[in-house]
Amino acid sequence: MVRAPCCEKIGLNKGPWTAEEDQILVSYIQQYGHGNWRALPKHAGLSRCGKSCRLRWINYLRPDIKRGNFTQEEEDSIIKLHEMLGNRWSAIAAKLPGRTDNEIKNVWHTHLKKRLHQNDAPKKRRPSGSKKKKSKPSNASSHPQSEAAPSQPILSQPSSSEVSSVTESGSNTTVDFSLESFPMIDESFWGDPMSSITSVESPNFYGNADMVQAQFPRDDDSVIGMGSDDNPGRSMDDEMDFWYDLYISAGGVEELPDFN
DNA sequence: AATCATGTCAACCGCGACATG
DNA sequence: ACATGTCGCGGTTGACATGAT
């Protein structure tokens, strides 16, 4: 196969995205969508390769991204799905709305794998709920994470308690989050996010998935329109459902919690 | 306080699959 | 049928944060 001639490295930015770049990308996609990733940066006026733009959008800027720590249910689901699917992160991500394959992959490699191997040994280091904030910009002066609010990422990352308090409503979860150690969820986080859509530093950015979805209609990028080797013509999602149903019917695992 | 070791995660890289001419 | 372009995926990297010594 022919290699993707991506990223002709002349004059294109690499490394962490700046707030300005994020805003340009978001604004462009909001207005025009992303028909052609390769052509997008040129049209949008970004000094990035299309691949980088796509990755940034998929993994970070997409409105339906669920930020914050993974819930116990999500982690359990990842483990179970990984048993079924192996390292098919995108397929696993398709079963966890709001989570990206990259994020799931990171979680797996950072602690789920160890958790399995070490029989869930207690972590020595980072206390649960404390999420590291990266602040290494290639051009530090313009990167928001290194500026006024170093502990505030470009896009708000609600703590696990914030996430769970929303995503687990209605489910009989037994997850025990010590809420006192986390700030209570701010109403403003889940409401009226689009009012601050132009301010990528706002903690409300992309808070309300429904509203955002209305303004950022997805072109269903979660569906992989190709069949597997065994099942050509069947979408990955269909195949996922097939194997999942089979697994459940065989008594493999209990039903996955509804994260919606 | 300084240094080291380790954890985390955004971003990059390379490849294969698919689409198109 | 073939060549080329684009997309999406999984593996890996690298810089920073943070706990341990």
Side-chain angles (χ1 to χ4, degrees):
Chain A
M1 277 300 162
V2 178
R3 273 278 314 284
C6 188
C7 298
E8 47 272 54
K9 302 174 164 87
I10 31 166
L12 293 181
N13 292 344
K14 286 177 68 177
W17 280 63
T18 65
E20 289 81 4
E21 288 177 313
D22 280 345
Q23 192 161 356
I24 290 170
L25 181 59
V26 168
S27 298
Y28 184 87
I29 293 178
Q30 182 181 14
Q31 198 169 355
Y32 304 106
H34 56 79
N36 184 335
W37 284 112
R38 191 169 163 77
L40 187 149
K42 198 169 77 175
H43 293 146
L46 284 165
S47 292
R48 294 273 181 175
C49 70
K51 212 170 184 177
S52 182
C53 293
R54 178 187 157 273
L55 204 67
R56 183 63 176 171
W57 174 255
I58 296 291
N59 287 335
Y60 209 78
L61 298 175
R62 215 173 53 181
D64 52 352
I65 293 291
K66 187 194 295 179
R67 314 296 312 174
N69 292 348
F70 278 64
T71 64
Q72 190 67 49
E73 280 81 2
E74 285 175 309
E75 291 187 353
D76 291 344
S77 298
I78 291 170
I79 291 170
K80 288 164 186 169
L81 287 165
H82 188 267
E83 282 178 16
M84 298 160 54
L85 301 163
N87 292 0
R88 291 165 65 185
W89 306 115
S90 62
I92 294 172
K95 286 291 179 188
L96 295 169
R99 300 299 190 181
T100 68
D101 54 352
N102 204 35
E103 199 176 9
I104 290 170
K105 187 168 53 183
N106 281 335
V107 167
W108 175 262
H109 284 127
T110 52
H111 57 279
L112 292 186
K113 198 163 65 174
K114 291 170 198 155
R115 184 172 125 187
L116 286 181
H117 285 130
Q118 299 173 2
N119 204 11
D120 204 4
K123 288 172 96 171
K124 279 200 200 164
R125 295 188 176 273
R126 211 145 296 157
S128 64
S130 80
K131 200 151 188 175
K132 183 194 94 157
K133 300 295 180 272
K134 239 184 134 156
S135 65
K136 185 253 96 195
S138 52
N139 43 354
S141 62
S142 63
H143 200 285
Q145 294 180 21
S146 63
E147 290 185 309
S151 63
Q152 185 68 259
I154 299 173
L155 303 178
S156 167
Q157 297 193 8
S159 70
S160 56
S161 66
E162 287 172 322
V163 172
S164 65
S165 65
V166 172
T167 59
E168 291 164 12
S169 63
S171 67
N172 53 350
T173 173
T174 58
V175 180
D176 178 27
F177 291 109
S178 52
L179 292 174
E180 62 273 15
S181 64
F182 300 113
M184 290 301 292
I185 185 167
D186 183 353
E187 286 286 298
S188 65
F189 178 81
W190 302 106
D192 197 20
M194 300 308 293
S195 64
S196 59
I197 194 79
T198 55
S199 171
V200 294
E201 294 185 13
S202 167
N204 294 335
F205 196 47
Y206 296 145
N208 186 314
D210 289 336
M211 288 185 62
V212 173
Q213 179 68 17
Q215 299 210 22
F216 284 82
R218 292 180 67 182
D219 55 355
D220 201 11
D221 52 0
S222 63
V223 173
I224 303 164
M226 54 184 164
S228 68
D229 294 342
D230 295 335
N231 300 287
R234 184 158 61 177
S235 77
M236 191 73 87
D237 276 356
D238 289 343
E239 194 182 340
M240 281 279 305
D241 290 337
F242 171 78
W243 285 107
Y244 183 71
D245 290 343
L246 190 66
Y247 193 74
I248 295 299
S249 64
V253 297
E254 71 270 19
E255 201 161 347
L256 291 173
D258 180 11
F259 294 112
N260 291 320

